């Protein structure tokens, strides 16, 4: 039996639905989904296995012009997604007309691998507008196959999945056939806590936060977790904790409920808040948190 395998990398502007799409393909919630921009910071692999295929999907940060070192590292993850792709999924939303970075756009139009342009959020459009959008993108990216989809409502996602399966190159699997992702448990603990902070705090606070899981002890019926929420300034520490610790307690309760669903096991979590000054511009700290590979 011929086996097929490959890397299918999802790229596009912030908030176009890349994480929603990958989670739809995987059937698991691996990537944070919120309405806030720049939610995905890392490159996250989600793996779909069949008897004769393995699809390694890759969710990437939304393409932006970097304002500080953390964002530069995030764009490095996007660059790496071009380098190892067997298939590129270029995701845009209805009403969008360009990628925010011209150099990345040229990489898409000059790609040597198949490009599927996914026109997302079509549930927010009408037929006439949709046809105009399809014509626009055919002109902009002539090397792409165009698929109107709604990742949130699972419309046309199966069609795209089947086309990816047709395009996959012959290859042995890259990961064990029971693997779901390349990331360890602690990564998802960090991401779940960070998601709750994105949902519960406003303005700069979520973007100034990094999570570090210091302890992950799994027993038969319960997982014990100790995690530190890093902020850049003392004032941010006070906001995260809130009056009499109420805000931090709410984050902890919501994160624990999400983790119990994710790990299918009881979770006990302790959260601490520490100041780690200007970590987003500190090369050493960025390496420590897994943003820089060099």
């Amino acid at each position: 039996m011929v086996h097929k395998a490959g890397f299918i990398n999802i790229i596009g502007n912030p908030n176009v639905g890349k994480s929603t799409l990958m989670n739809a393909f995987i059937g698991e919630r691996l990537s944070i989904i919120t309405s806030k921009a720049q939610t995905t910071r890392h490159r996250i692999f989600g793996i779909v296995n069949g008897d004769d295929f393995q699809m390694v999907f890759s969710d990437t940060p939304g393409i932006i012009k970097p304002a500080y070192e953390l964002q530069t590292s995030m764009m490095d993850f996007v660059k790496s997604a071009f380098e190892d792709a067997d298939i590129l999924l270029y995701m845009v939303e209805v009403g969008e007309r360009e990628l925010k970075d011209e150099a990345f756009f040229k990489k898409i139009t000059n790609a040597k691998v198949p490009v599927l342009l996914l026109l997302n959020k079509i549930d927010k459009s009408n037929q006439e507008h949709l046809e105009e959008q399809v014509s626009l993108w055919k002109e902009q990216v002539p090397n792409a196959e165009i698929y109107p989809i709604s990742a949130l409502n699972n419309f046309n996602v199966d069609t795209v999945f089947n086309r990816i399966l047709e395009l996959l190159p012959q290859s042995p699997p890259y990961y064990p056939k029971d693997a779901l992702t390349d990331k360890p448990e602690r990564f998802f603990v960090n991401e779940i806590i960070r998601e709750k902070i994105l949902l519960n705090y406003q303005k700069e606070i979520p973007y100034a936060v990094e999570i570090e899981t210091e302890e992950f002890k799994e027993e038969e019926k319960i997982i014990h977790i100790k995690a530190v929420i890093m902020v850049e300034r003392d004032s941010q520490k006070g906001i995260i904790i809130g009056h009499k610790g109420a805000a931090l307690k709410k984050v902890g309760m919501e994160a624990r409920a999400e983790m119990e669903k994710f790990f299918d096991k009881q979770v006990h979590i302790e959260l601490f808040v520490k100041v780690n000054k200007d970590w987003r511009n500190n090369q050493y700290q960025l390496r420590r948190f897994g943003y820089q590979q060099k």
Side-chain angles (χ1 to χ4, degrees):
M1 185 168 61
V2 172
H3 191 277
K4 302 170 91 175
F7 289 86
I8 304 101
N9 301 340
I10 310 168
I11 52 173
N13 287 334
N15 271 48
V16 293
K18 297 183 297 297
S19 298
T20 305
L21 179 70
M22 189 172 97
N23 290 341
F25 282 139
I26 309 304
E28 295 278 344
R29 205 156 161 276
L30 296 183
S31 291
I32 289 181
I33 305 165
T34 81
S35 59
K36 296 187 177 180
Q38 298 171 46
T39 309
T40 302
R41 285 182 178 174
H42 292 265
R43 188 176 172 199
I44 302 167
F45 287 166
I47 303 162
V48 178
N49 290 293
D51 290 338
D52 58 352
F53 71 88
Q54 182 178 81
M55 297 181 184
V56 185
F57 289 98
S58 173
D59 187 15
T60 59
I63 293 169
I64 52 172
K65 293 202 181 299
Y68 41 84
E69 280 296 323
L70 169 62
Q71 291 182 338
T72 301
S73 298
M74 287 160 59
M75 292 308 96
D76 286 342
F77 288 131
V78 180
K79 286 175 191 168
S80 71
F82 281 98
E83 289 161 10
D84 62 19
D86 293 298
I87 300 163
L88 276 173
L89 303 186
Y90 173 34
M91 202 162 183
V92 299
E93 65 176 283
V94 169
E96 205 178 320
R97 294 187 168 269
E98 61 184 358
L99 198 64
K100 287 179 181 170
D101 187 296
E102 199 175 325
F104 280 128
F105 193 73
K106 281 184 179 169
K107 282 176 182 275
I108 293 163
T109 54
N110 294 321
K112 299 288 190 285
V113 298
V115 177
L116 307 186
L117 191 148
L118 309 182
L119 185 55
N120 193 28
K121 305 185 185 179
I122 62 165
D123 45 305
K124 296 182 178 179
S125 181
N126 58 44
Q127 190 64 31
E128 186 183 345
H129 187 217
L130 185 58
E131 286 172 8
E132 183 263 323
Q133 287 276 290
V134 170
S135 298
L136 169 83
W137 286 111
K138 271 184 181 166
E139 197 176 307
Q140 292 258 49
V141 193
N143 58 317
E145 297 178 24
I146 298 175
Y147 292 86
I149 68 162
S150 171
L152 189 63
N153 297 312
N154 235 4
F155 175 77
N156 237 9
V157 171
D158 283 349
T159 305
V160 175
F161 186 92
N162 292 333
R163 181 60 180 141
I164 291 166
L165 191 52
E166 288 172 2
L167 293 168
L168 269 187
Q170 287 188 24
S171 168
Y174 291 96
Y175 292 92
K177 291 287 276 190
D178 59 352
L180 178 66
T181 181
D182 64 321
K183 296 284 190 255
E185 285 99 339
R186 287 178 189 231
F187 175 84
F188 293 103
V189 169
N190 297 348
E191 288 290 274
I192 288 168
I193 296 168
R194 195 166 66 80
E195 180 194 47
K196 301 313 171 192
I197 289 168
L198 276 157
L199 294 172
N200 281 289
Y201 299 87
Q202 299 301 314
K203 298 178 182 173
E204 180 65 9
I205 291 292
Y207 303 103
V209 161
E210 181 59 40
I211 316 298
E212 187 169 46
T213 297
E214 292 189 334
E215 188 176 291
F216 185 98
K217 285 185 181 173
E218 187 164 6
E219 297 174 6
E220 189 182 346
K221 293 183 178 177
I222 191 168
I223 302 170
H224 296 275
I225 293 167
K226 283 184 183 175
V228 176
I229 299 169
M230 307 275 187
V231 293
E232 290 191 310
R233 297 192 299 276
D234 289 320
S235 59
Q236 294 166 344
K237 181 177 178 180
I239 294 167
I240 289 283
I241 294 170
H243 182 61
K244 293 185 177 177
L248 184 62
K249 185 177 179 183
K250 185 170 187 274
V251 166
M253 287 171 64
E254 291 180 5
R256 187 191 71 215
E258 186 81 27
M259 286 176 205
E260 288 183 339
K261 278 193 287 183
F262 188 85
F263 294 112
D264 198 20
K265 192 175 275 195
Q266 192 180 339
V267 170
H268 175 263
I269 183 168
E270 291 180 74
L271 292 178
F272 305 89
V273 186
K274 290 182 183 174
V275 176
N276 186 341
K277 291 191 186 299
D278 202 29
W279 68 266
R280 285 184 293 178
N281 277 310
N282 185 308
Q283 302 271 1
Y284 167 76
Q285 297 292 348
L286 290 170
R287 271 197 300 275
R288 177 183 156 200
F289 296 138
Y291 292 106
Q292 294 185 339
Q293 307 305 312
K294 294 173 187 175

